[in-house]
Amino acid sequence: GLDGGIDGLIHLSDLSWDREGEEAVRDFKKGDQITAIVLSVDSERERISLGVKQAEEDPFNAFVGAHPKGTPVKGTIRSVDAKGAIVDLGDGIEGYLRATELSRDYVEDARSILNTDAEIEAKITSIDRKTRRITLSVKALDAEIEDQAIQEYSGQVSGRTSLGDKLKEEFERKIQKAKGEIDALKARLRMLDAE
């Protein structure tokens, strides 16, 4: 009931961002005062649609905004079956980790590697805003870490001077010194010849 004897309708799907409507409706009882947002007004049918969840920030959008595709995240395994695991990423956000994304090695059954309530780190590989689904990969995170390590090592190696380079530098320095001494001797010989 709204002011002026007007009724508003809140669809079950507009009660909560992270809970099913049938579960969320149990939090309300007749006579409760609530905050809601007007979603639509149908003046012909004299209906006003309201949303409770829209009065708060969508935790999924907030999470995705802070953790875009490619971001490493940590979470807790909530459930595991042969095909993969549901990972609790916090604030009611869940990600899905397929068994094929656990390792570069073939994993037939995720239960052989993962345990419920275990902590895990993975990379976000896809985000579907429509279905509110986040897909994770440990394999992709491991590959990224490995690539970074290779690049860092390559940078260190390319920045180093090898033993061969050091010997070549020393040899060239000695040749230049010897050429300078030879030139000095030739000049002295010319002076002696001139006397």
Side-chain angles (χ1 to χ4, degrees):
L2 303 172
D3 291 340
I6 300 170
D7 288 334
L9 172 70
I10 302 173
H11 194 274
L12 288 177
S13 64
D14 290 319
L15 287 175
S16 175
W17 288 111
D18 57 353
R19 292 173 35 212
E20 294 293 322
E22 292 81 18
E23 181 185 335
V25 78
R26 293 185 201 127
D27 294 342
F28 302 96
K29 59 185 181 299
K30 186 176 179 177
D32 283 352
Q33 293 243 339
I34 60 169
T35 301
I37 301 289
V38 175
L39 301 178
S40 67
V41 177
D42 184 348
S43 54
E44 288 179 16
R45 295 170 55 188
E46 297 180 359
R47 288 190 179 178
I48 296 177
S49 295
L50 304 173
V52 172
K53 71 180 184 182
Q54 289 84 355
E56 302 171 353
E57 182 180 17
D58 179 358
F60 183 84
N61 284 337
F63 182 87
V64 169
H67 304 88
K69 180 179 174 183
T71 304
V73 292
K74 291 182 181 180
T76 305
I77 305 295
R78 283 292 154 237
S79 64
V80 183
D81 63 20
K83 293 182 181 182
I86 303 290
V87 180
D88 179 358
L89 300 173
D91 298 324
I93 307 302
E94 292 181 341
Y96 186 71
L97 176 60
R98 283 189 224 118
T100 57
E101 294 299 319
L102 285 170
S103 169
R104 289 185 182 185
D105 299 328
Y106 176 72
V107 176
E108 187 172 332
D109 188 339
R111 295 172 293 194
S112 66
I113 295 177
L114 301 175
N115 295 317
T116 304
D117 295 328
E119 295 287 321
I120 193 163
E121 186 171 8
K123 183 178 183 178
I124 296 175
T125 54
S126 72
I127 298 168
D128 186 337
R129 290 179 185 268
K130 187 175 180 181
T131 61
R132 301 172 67 84
R133 184 175 176 125
I134 297 172
T135 307
L136 305 170
S137 174
V138 173
K139 180 169 58 173
L141 180 62
D142 288 347
E144 180 181 321
I145 291 168
E146 189 176 294
D147 288 347
Q148 287 175 350
I150 289 170
Q151 287 175 359
E152 286 176 16
Y153 179 74
S154 297
Q156 290 171 358
V157 169
S158 66
R160 291 185 198 158
T161 306
S162 70
L163 179 60
D165 292 338
K166 288 268 190 201
L167 290 173
K168 182 179 176 184
E169 286 175 19
E170 183 66 21
F171 184 67
E172 287 175 357
R173 190 179 59 75
K174 286 186 178 186
I175 288 174
Q176 290 301 322
K177 182 179 177 185
K179 282 183 180 179
E181 290 174 358
I182 290 172
D183 288 342
L185 284 173
K186 284 181 181 178
R188 196 160 188 204
L189 282 172
R190 276 189 244 130
M191 283 179 40
L192 290 173
D193 281 344
E195 290 179 0

